[in-house]
Amino acid sequence: GQSLEQPSEVTAVEGAIVQINCTYQTSGFYGLSWYQQHDGGAPTFLSYNALDGLEETGRFSSFLSRSDSYGYLLLQELQMKDSASYFCAVRDLPGNQFYFGTGTSLTVIP
Amino acid sequence: EPEVTQTPSHQVTQMGQEVILRCVPISNHLYFYWYRQILGQKVEFLVSFYNNEISEKSEIFDDQFSVERPDGSNFTLKIRSTKLEDSAMYFCASSEGTGEQFFGPGTRLTVL
């Protein structure tokens, strides 16, 4: 089976930095992706790690440690529009399918 | 910018009826997917489709579900005999086989 755990809710102040953690137990693993989803909207891709280490994309960074089955998404210079749900997702084969985590609801406050 | 499209945006059906959800993936993508999301819950993988056949499916994707790529552009999900618990948002996605997937806007299915 597939199990990906994330904190259910996080609150942070505008302009601050927030880290959203993801721990996973999956039968296969080829990488970890992060998606953002606003209420009523579709998931949109943020970042992907296939190898250990940090990937940086603008205000968003993602980290992976395969030996610890752990990753995190780092959001810097938080803006009100960053209020959304964030999902980690493990990539697996043969279908290049993704198994999503439980999701973290981020609320950015002034 | 190319995007995944889905129709209809909302489908209401009676329990036991068949529904077909439609998707047009991004044209040069090779992998196609269906996911579902029950309100307030996580996104759940249903099926992936590559080279005109199912490449992986989850436990949720039982005999009442089927997928088809009837022509060069459309990708459909059929639910043969809908149940109340099938009520959810259904997302289609496509990818080039990398770590990035592109999701459509979803079809909200309501089973009464």
Side-chain angles (χ1 to χ4, degrees):
Chain A
Q2 324 293 339
S3 172
L4 291 87
E5 296 296 324
Q6 302 177 232
S8 58
E9 296 179 344
V10 172
T11 300
V13 178
E14 191 176 14
I17 299 173
V18 73
Q19 178 175 313
I20 298 173
N21 299 320
C22 172
T23 56
Y24 58 87
Q25 280 187 303
T26 56
S27 53
F29 181 87
Y30 285 86
L32 188 71
S33 295
W34 287 91
Y35 287 83
Q36 179 192 61
Q37 186 180 34
H38 285 99
D39 277 349
T44 55
F45 173 80
L46 293 175
S47 189
Y48 175 69
N49 296 70
L51 303 174
D52 289 356
L54 194 67
E55 290 286 336
E56 297 181 77
T57 312
R59 294 190 298 116
F60 299 100
S61 303
S62 58
F63 172 83
L64 175 65
S65 169
R66 288 174 298 169
S67 60
D68 295 323
S69 298
Y70 165 75
Y72 66 72
L73 178 70
L74 196 71
L75 296 84
Q76 302 181 73
E77 300 172 18
L78 280 173
Q79 302 174 9
M80 300 299 289
K81 67 178 182 179
D82 296 329
S83 292
S85 292
Y86 292 83
F87 293 90
C88 59
V90 162
R91 179 187 180 203
D92 198 4
L93 299 179
N96 199 57
Q97 69 273 18
F98 288 79
Y99 297 101
F100 281 69
T102 49
T104 299
S105 176
L106 171 65
T107 301
V108 180
I109 58 175
Chain B
E1 187 175 329
E3 59 183 15
V4 176
T5 59
Q6 291 185 242
T7 54
S9 57
H10 193 185
Q11 174 90 48
V12 180
T13 190
Q14 295 290 326
M15 190 170 55
Q17 295 297 303
E18 174 184 287
V19 295
I20 297 176
L21 310 183
R22 303 179 191 280
C23 168
V24 179
I26 294 172
S27 61
N28 63 332
H29 283 184
L30 304 175
Y31 290 84
F32 315 120
Y33 312 84
W34 285 101
Y35 293 87
R36 79 174 186 190
Q37 186 176 34
I38 295 169
L39 188 63
Q41 298 187 24
K42 68 178 182 180
V43 176
E44 298 177 290
F45 168 73
L46 293 178
V47 65
S48 61
F49 193 86
Y50 172 76
N51 201 27
N52 285 318
E53 62 181 18
I54 291 174
S55 50
E56 188 65 41
K57 60 183 181 179
S58 72
E59 295 173 347
I60 302 169
F61 195 87
D62 60 23
D63 291 344
Q64 70 163 337
F65 291 93
S66 62
V67 290
E68 195 175 42
R69 188 156 163 83
D71 53 43
S73 59
N74 290 284
F75 181 51
T76 62
L77 174 70
K78 182 191 289 186
I79 309 175
R80 271 183 255 289
S81 178
T82 50
K83 298 179 265 198
L84 293 176
E85 54 264 38
D86 293 329
S87 294
M89 182 73 92
Y90 287 80
F91 290 107
C92 173
S94 69
S95 84
E96 295 175 301
T98 64
E100 180 176 5
Q101 293 191 322
F102 295 80
F103 282 76
T107 293
R108 179 166 299 284
L109 176 65
T110 302
V111 182
L112 302 176

